[in-house]
Amino acid sequence: MSIFTGPMRQHLDGKKELTAHEEVVVLETPEKVYIPLYQGNSTKFEVLVKEGDKVKVGTKVAYRNDNFIVPVFSSVSGTVGKVENVMSTTLKPLPHLVIVSDGLNETEKSFETIDYKTASREELVAFTKDAGIVGCGGAGFPTYVKYQFAKDCHTILINGVECEPYITADAAMMEKYTKELIIGTDAMIKMADAKAAIIAIKTTKVELIKKVREALAGYSNITVQEVPDVYPMGWERTVVYEVFKKRYDRLPGEVGVVVNNATTAISLAQAMLEGHGITHKMVTVSGEAVKTPRNVWVPVGTKVKEVVKALGGYTCEDVLCIAGGPMMGKAIINDEWVISASSNAVTVLETKPIDSVACLRCGQCSEHCPAGLQPVRIRQAEKAGDIETIKANDVNSCIECGMCTYICPSKLDVTESVRRAKRRVQLLK
Ligand code: SF4
Ligand code: SF4
């Protein structure tokens, strides 16, 4: 069943002007970094170093070892400390490898570079695996897996849409590393044995589109496609439909497409050209409750509180720190969590009491749900503990986009109710 049925035509107040035209802040190396030993819900990691070992920026320090193999690298030079439990974006403390920086930022190559034009498809997939490239748009899925199993793929779709309010990190990366964006995209075409690639960028990013198109001279197999500035256009299903007018059930491969985030393509190019994995991230730190909203270049493993401190701190006492954007991000109870290889944003908002009123039964949440659900019905069923109605309303198709809360005139947190309903159904399994 395809779940893409909603209108997808809601323009949001993007608030991107807070960071879009500002200089990128390069964060000073913190005294300690905490390299996450988790990805998604997996904590199966092998640590390759021991306490007291000396490492450099780029030293392979651990790898994920479950169904997927994903190496992780030190983001500073210094001395290995203990493995500590630190707050994570899963909302609970999880293991992180502490590395105490010596402040020197000595660097080593993590692996040999590769010329993607002469390498075989299989060599490129293996390279992507060894380089630890993961989805940089928030999900952190290992990139090589998409290509290992890609077949009958005609097009690579590079998602440079970045539809959530506040976030401009991908745009900043595409602006700064335009050449790498194209090289990474070209390599992905080869890895999937595809014919072409399309880079999707919101039509409002006029200067960026111009810059990427100019840089594409000589690449007849890659084009830029402008897409509307609406939410959630960056959702994989939405952007695939917008570009190809095709729907799929589970994966975009069903319609011959592999989708990657723009920063992921850039990270792959940097790995191929320079021989290092993802040790630093461009992160948008924005929102009304941070003193100086900016895009920040951050060593992976830096605590969020250090990043916010470098931007002048908070504007008020009661803040809500969100990993990601305000619509789909996760609110985390403190700022002790760290920037990971898949982080793209920290949104800091003032915690304000919300005066909600009873549901008006206006139906707007159902009208705007991109997954075609009836959030109001799910909310009512959740409140009543009515599992059968929750299941009958296909709650698992909710992508937690936040639209039903955003649109609700009664200021009800409808998304949270739907999330709770989803958890109720998951707990039944
Ligand atoms: S969060 Fe709300 S609007 Fe978004 S998919 Fe879920 S139910 Fe629909
Ligand atoms: S948008 Fe809010 S007020 Fe309107 S039906 Fe949905 S929950 Fe009720």
Side-chain angles (χ1 to χ4, degrees):
M1 187 204 65
S2 175
I3 65 170
F4 170 78
T5 51
M8 316 283 179
R9 285 291 177 270
Q10 186 66 30
H11 175 75
L12 302 184
D13 177 7
K15 311 217 176 194
K16 293 187 188 254
E17 68 286 353
L18 288 171
T19 55
H21 306 293
E22 301 290 346
E23 283 281 304
V24 171
V25 171
V26 177
L27 195 79
E28 281 192 22
T29 309
E31 283 177 18
K32 283 182 188 174
V33 290
Y34 302 78
I35 305 294
L37 297 177
Y38 74 95
Q39 277 176 2
N41 288 322
S42 172
T43 51
K44 286 198 175 159
F45 275 66
E46 299 284 333
V47 178
L48 301 169
V49 288
K50 58 184 187 316
E51 202 176 341
D53 280 357
K54 299 287 180 202
V55 293
K56 295 183 178 176
V57 179
T59 303
K60 184 170 157 183
V61 291
Y63 66 99
R64 177 175 172 178
N65 187 19
D66 50 20
N67 291 335
F68 306 129
I69 303 291
V70 186
V72 290
F73 306 94
S74 179
S75 58
V76 296
S77 60
T79 309
V80 175
K82 294 182 187 309
V83 172
E84 286 182 15
N85 274 342
V86 172
M87 192 54 175
S88 75
T89 50
T90 67
L91 310 182
K92 59 185 181 200
L94 288 177
H96 291 63
L97 178 67
V98 179
I99 299 175
V100 181
S101 168
D102 58 14
L104 302 175
N105 281 324
E106 287 184 293
T107 302
E108 69 180 24
K109 243 185 183 180
S110 303
F111 38 77
E112 287 307 312
T113 55
I114 192 169
D115 178 355
Y116 76 93
K117 293 204 168 159
T118 56
S120 68
R121 179 187 170 186
E122 292 71 26
E123 283 168 339
L124 278 175
V125 173
F127 177 88
T128 304
K129 183 179 183 180
D130 293 342
I133 304 299
V134 292
C136 292
F141 188 74
T143 302
Y144 77 89
V145 180
K146 292 188 179 183
Y147 290 90
Q148 209 168 32
F149 300 112
K151 65 174 191 281
D152 303 327
C153 167
H154 52 78
T155 309
I156 301 296
L157 179 58
I158 298 295
N159 188 347
V161 179
E162 206 164 48
C163 63
E164 276 239 26
Y166 295 103
I167 308 179
T168 57
D170 272 350
M173 285 296 285
M174 289 191 280
E175 181 73 37
K176 190 169 161 75
Y177 297 110
T178 314
K179 185 185 84 180
E180 288 81 356
L181 170 69
I182 293 162
I183 289 172
T185 303
D186 205 24
M188 284 170 168
I189 294 175
K190 186 164 186 181
M191 266 206 292
D193 208 9
K195 300 271 177 295
I198 293 171
I199 303 174
I201 304 177
K202 273 196 303 199
T203 189
T204 40
K205 293 270 175 204
V206 177
E207 289 301 314
L208 178 62
I209 290 168
K210 185 165 174 270
K211 189 170 183 202
V212 177
R213 280 194 172 135
E214 280 170 6
L216 279 172
Y219 288 87
S220 57
N221 55 346
I222 308 176
T223 50
V224 173
Q225 179 153 341
E226 299 177 34
V227 298
D229 184 0
V230 291
Y231 183 81
M233 184 52 72
W235 181 34
E236 204 165 80
R237 286 175 193 276
T238 329
V239 70
V240 167
Y241 184 76
E242 182 66 31
V243 173
F244 300 99
K245 299 291 176 274
K246 286 193 175 148
R247 296 171 180 168
Y248 57 86
D249 287 337
R250 288 183 59 245
L251 296 168
E254 293 160 26
V255 292
V257 179
V258 177
V259 184
N260 273 120
N261 165 267
T263 296
T264 311
I266 293 168
S267 300
L268 174 61
Q270 289 173 333
M272 293 189 303
L273 297 168
E274 295 160 23
H276 66 76
I278 303 172
T279 58
H280 290 67
K281 279 307 302 271
M282 184 76 78
V283 182
T284 303
V285 184
S286 189
E288 285 71 19
V290 60
K291 278 213 176 115
T292 322
R294 288 287 185 278
N295 279 312
V296 192
W297 186 244
V298 188
V300 166
T302 305
K303 284 200 172 178
V304 166
K305 67 177 181 187
E306 305 265 355
V307 187
V308 174
K309 192 170 151 203
L311 298 178
Y314 299 111
T315 58
C316 55
E317 271 187 18
D318 289 330
V319 299
L320 185 65
C321 238
I322 303 169
M327 303 295 281
M328 293 184 103
K330 277 188 188 162
I332 302 184
I333 52 165
N334 60 30
D335 53 9
E336 293 286 333
W337 46 287
V338 307
I339 301 303
S340 71
S342 56
S343 302
N344 62 350
V346 178
T347 306
V348 192
L349 303 175
E350 191 178 350
T351 311
K352 289 183 192 154
I354 297 169
D355 296 325
S356 55
V357 296
C359 172
L360 303 170
R361 298 186 179 271
C362 65
Q364 287 203 51
C365 53
S366 305
E367 234 169 77
H368 286 85
C369 173
L373 305 179
Q374 302 207 32
V376 59
R377 286 213 178 149
I378 299 171
R379 180 176 177 275
Q380 284 163 350
E382 198 282 327
K383 281 178 82 178
D386 179 353
I387 293 286
E388 289 313 311
T389 305
I390 292 173
K391 285 205 281 194
N393 277 276
D394 196 19
V395 69
N396 280 331
S397 295
C398 167
I399 58 161
E400 302 186 18
C401 69
M403 182 59 83
C404 44
T405 294
Y406 176 84
I407 210 79
C408 177
S410 295
K411 297 198 169 112
L412 296 168
D413 193 348
V414 191
T415 307
E416 187 48 37
S417 301
V418 179
R419 258 192 216 120
R420 276 202 302 269
K422 257 175 105 172
R423 277 200 294 274
R424 275 183 190 261
V425 172
Q426 281 157 3
L427 285 173
L428 292 176
K429 288 176 185 166

